[in-house]
Amino acid sequence: MFLKPLNRVRKTLGFRLTAWYSGLFILSTLVLFATAYVLLSSSLERRDREALQLKLKEYAAEYQRGGMEATERKITFENGQAGKALFFVRVAGPDNKTLFVNTPKHWQDFDVAQLEKSSVSATPQWIHVPAREKDDDEDDVLEIASLRLPDGALLQVGTSTEKREDLLERFGNTFVGIMIPVVVIGLAGGSFLAFRALRPLHGLLKSLQSILATGNLEARVPVTDTGDELDELSMLFNGLLEKIGLLITGMQDSLDNVAHDLRTPMTRVRGIAEMALQAEGKGDLLREALVTCIEESDRILAMVNTLMDISEAETGAMQLKLDTVNVLALIEQVVELYRYVAEDKKIALSVSAPPELSLTADRNRMLQVLANLLDNAIKYTPSGGRVEIAASSDRYQVVITVTDTGIGIPPEDLAKIWDRLYRGDKSRSQRGLGLGLSLVKAIVQAHQGQVEVSNVIGQGAQFVLSLPVKTPA
Ligand code: ADP
């Protein structure tokens, strides 16, 4: 029952940061202590052993100088001097039988009798004699150094590890006392740092939650101006919201436009059908109405198809059938389609392109592009004008220009003419859907190319297509 919220907390970044920080802090303190403990313990041991070796040499010298008696005297004297003997001393014969032993009173617990049991030849340099009855709290031992004397006797000097153990125990207790505040500081410090580091992230989360809950894309994540990564994230996130907002507005606008532009022809179709029904019996009238209905339906169909083509090209879903296309042949194919319309309108059409010029492109889509540009050029050029299609190339791109001597494009319209369903004011009298240039731009961009427009009012417009010689597949 309590496990679920606990699991949730364990998964949070805050918990993990706190755990990592506190864990590392506590671990480093432990490592520091362990190192200090080992160093202290080994230096105390070295010190004790040096003292034992020194004493051993001193008694050995005395033994050699004055024999057993002199050594006994010296030890007894030192005992009397110190009041409390500092060392355990044992002298044994070559058969390891104790000849003399001096055990300080407070070390009587150690089982020194066992020293007689080991064979003399096997006596190691350092022997550790434990207490007879082992007390759980005390693990001191009698540490003994041995030295074989020239006459075969064995001299042993020892001291209890009691003081050393006491000191190390005190050190350990102090550490435990220090560790409690260290753990508390580690946990508190870890939580504080995690809280500080995650505060901007919480702001980001709150804003996201409010945006998701309200659907209000106007909301923005607060930026703290610290210039850190989280600030950058917030700014990027705000930029993303801005872009999404623009896209959604754009989509809503084009949806409105499409709905608006479809309504007119649909209403017209309905009106024609209704009128035809009211005028019962007259066959010719009915036929005429049906023809108009078909024309209007074709217009609607063309509009829907073009809109679908544009969004396919814009989203990258358009499948391009790439082929090597001769540019001059392509232009002439389009010009052939419009020759009669141009002649009818008394517009001179001219083509100039090097015959060997070719590029990799989707032939049908490029035909659509050129047809749209030529259609516009003829549509917006008054009778007696000229339209020229020219092509040239460098190593990387093919440039095709469509220039006319028509009405030109007002400067305020230059950016808008690429929008879906946009039609210039002066163009309303001409047939058209306002989709031609949107399709041109989408197809050219799908070929990794560019299209630009420029004009001098009163002298006509010029569209410039730049296409890569080899469109990447
Ligand atoms: P339309 O169906 O209206 O021709 P387009 O998308 O092809 O739609 O063109 C958008 C607008 O750009 C046109 O309504 C017209 O105002 C302007 N335009 C396009 N080509 C030319 C041109 N050659 N000369 C002048 N205006 C042009």
Side-chain angles (χ1 to χ4, degrees):
M1 193 181 160
F2 298 109
L3 281 179
K4 261 194 179 167
L6 204 71
N7 269 340
R8 232 191 352 256
V9 170
R10 271 181 44 204
K11 277 186 194 153
T12 60
L13 196 57
F15 176 82
R16 276 182 284 162
L17 271 179
T18 310
W20 270 103
Y21 174 84
S22 325
L24 281 176
F25 189 66
I26 293 166
L27 192 74
S28 1
T29 317
L30 276 173
V31 169
L32 214 67
F33 167 75
T35 317
Y37 188 89
V38 170
L39 284 176
L40 182 68
S41 156
S42 67
S43 94
L44 287 175
E45 188 184 278
R46 204 175 48 244
R47 199 192 61 184
D48 280 359
R49 286 188 172 190
E50 275 168 11
L52 280 180
Q53 297 272 25
L54 212 70
K55 212 65 194 161
L56 197 64
K57 277 186 195 146
E58 205 180 307
Y59 288 147
E62 188 64 25
Y63 185 90
Q64 269 183 301
R65 202 165 42 82
M68 186 69 199
E69 259 179 55
T71 316
E72 260 188 67
R73 249 198 328 273
K74 182 172 166 66
I75 294 165
T76 323
F77 173 74
E78 277 182 3
N79 257 325
Q81 280 261 308
K84 185 174 159 189
L86 296 172
F87 294 99
F88 160 85
V89 188
R90 174 175 176 260
V91 183
D95 54 355
N96 202 12
K97 279 268 165 312
T98 306
L99 301 176
F100 168 81
V101 69
N102 174 61
T103 313
K105 253 193 239 124
H106 53 288
W107 294 352
Q108 298 294 337
D109 278 351
F110 295 114
D111 187 13
V112 289
Q114 64 161 260
L115 287 171
E116 275 195 334
K117 286 177 201 151
S118 58
S119 89
V120 183
S121 56
T123 309
Q125 200 200 352
W126 294 101
I127 303 169
H128 291 101
V129 177
R132 242 180 305 251
E133 277 165 37
K134 225 171 159 4
D135 185 343
D136 275 352
D137 292 341
E138 301 280 339
D139 45 9
D140 341 318
V141 292
L142 194 60
E143 191 174 46
I144 297 172
S146 310
L147 186 71
R148 173 86 37 220
L149 297 169
D151 63 356
L154 184 70
L155 176 63
Q156 291 181 314
V157 177
T159 186
S160 166
T161 56
E162 178 187 9
K163 271 193 190 152
R164 200 157 90 198
E165 296 298 339
D166 273 1
L167 197 70
L168 287 173
E169 197 180 314
R170 254 180 294 149
F171 185 74
N173 289 342
T174 315
F175 171 74
V176 173
I178 287 173
M179 236 8 232
I180 296 166
V182 162
V183 170
V184 174
I185 290 172
L187 285 173
S191 326
F192 176 70
L193 283 183
F195 170 75
R196 283 216 54 178
L198 295 177
R199 199 165 44 186
L201 212 61
H202 286 308
L204 190 72
L205 280 179
K206 251 194 195 149
S207 309
L208 278 177
Q209 279 160 350
S210 100
I211 289 167
L212 276 179
T214 59
N216 173 22
L217 285 173
E218 298 295 308
R220 291 290 177 268
V221 179
V223 179
T224 51
D225 283 334
T226 49
D228 59 11
E229 289 88 341
L230 283 168
D231 232 17
E232 205 174 325
L233 184 71
S234 303
M235 283 194 288
L236 280 177
F237 187 74
N238 285 342
L240 200 71
L241 280 178
E242 188 101 32
K243 251 205 169 116
I244 293 175
L246 279 176
L247 277 174
I248 289 183
T249 320
M251 272 166 63
Q252 273 167 350
D253 284 354
S254 36
L255 215 70
D256 286 354
N257 286 342
V258 172
H260 181 263
D261 276 58
L262 278 177
R263 191 186 290 156
T264 320
M266 293 294 282
T267 319
R268 211 175 309 149
V269 169
R270 198 185 178 284
I272 291 163
E274 210 173 331
M275 265 168 55
L277 273 180
Q278 279 165 7
E280 286 165 38
K282 293 176 188 156
D284 283 354
L285 224 97
L286 286 178
R287 182 174 292 277
E288 208 176 298
L290 281 176
V291 169
T292 322
C293 279
I294 289 173
E295 276 170 13
E296 285 299 330
S297 308
D298 281 350
R299 200 176 132 84
I300 295 167
L301 216 63
M303 189 186 218
V304 173
N305 283 339
T306 315
L307 275 168
M308 281 171 74
D309 273 356
I310 294 170
S311 45
E312 253 187 33
E314 280 179 353
T315 53
M318 181 178 269
Q319 296 282 327
L320 294 178
K321 293 193 194 86
L322 295 178
D323 207 353
T324 308
V325 179
N326 181 282
V327 178
L328 183 60
L330 189 82
I331 295 174
E332 276 176 343
Q333 198 177 342
V334 182
V335 167
E336 207 46 51
L337 285 175
Y338 283 88
R339 191 168 299 285
Y340 292 113
V341 190
E343 270 174 16
D344 218 35
K345 229 181 148 184
K346 300 204 170 31
I347 289 173
L349 274 182
S350 66
V351 175
S352 80
E356 73 290 345
L357 189 61
S358 61
L359 81 162
T360 320
D362 183 319
R363 182 187 302 273
N364 288 332
R365 293 293 178 195
M366 285 325 291
L367 277 175
Q368 253 182 312
V369 167
L370 290 180
N372 269 306
L373 292 177
L374 190 58
D375 185 69
N376 278 349
I378 296 172
K379 213 160 60 174
Y380 299 118
T381 301
S383 214
R386 269 179 294 112
V387 173
E388 189 194 355
I389 307 187
S392 62
S393 79
D394 60 25
R395 249 178 86 190
Y396 303 107
Q397 57 177 7
V398 171
V399 178
I400 304 174
T401 53
V402 180
T403 317
D404 62 54
T405 56
I407 58 171
I409 302 162
E412 66 274 15
D413 278 3
L414 279 173
K416 295 186 210 154
I417 55 169
W418 308 105
D419 294 347
R420 285 174 216 198
L421 299 165
Y422 182 80
R423 305 204 69 204
D425 281 343
K426 288 198 217 157
S427 330
R428 304 251 178 237
S429 54
Q430 300 283 351
R431 69 189 157 78
L433 298 171
L435 289 171
L437 289 182
S438 310
L439 184 65
V440 166
K441 190 170 186 180
I443 294 177
V444 169
Q445 284 180 348
H447 280 80
Q448 318 278 319
Q450 275 181 5
V451 56
E452 277 160 15
V453 63
S454 60
N455 73 96
V456 183
I457 297 177
Q459 287 187 34
Q462 183 176 60
F463 287 84
V464 182
L465 296 178
S466 315
L467 293 155
V469 173
K470 264 203 170 329
T471 300

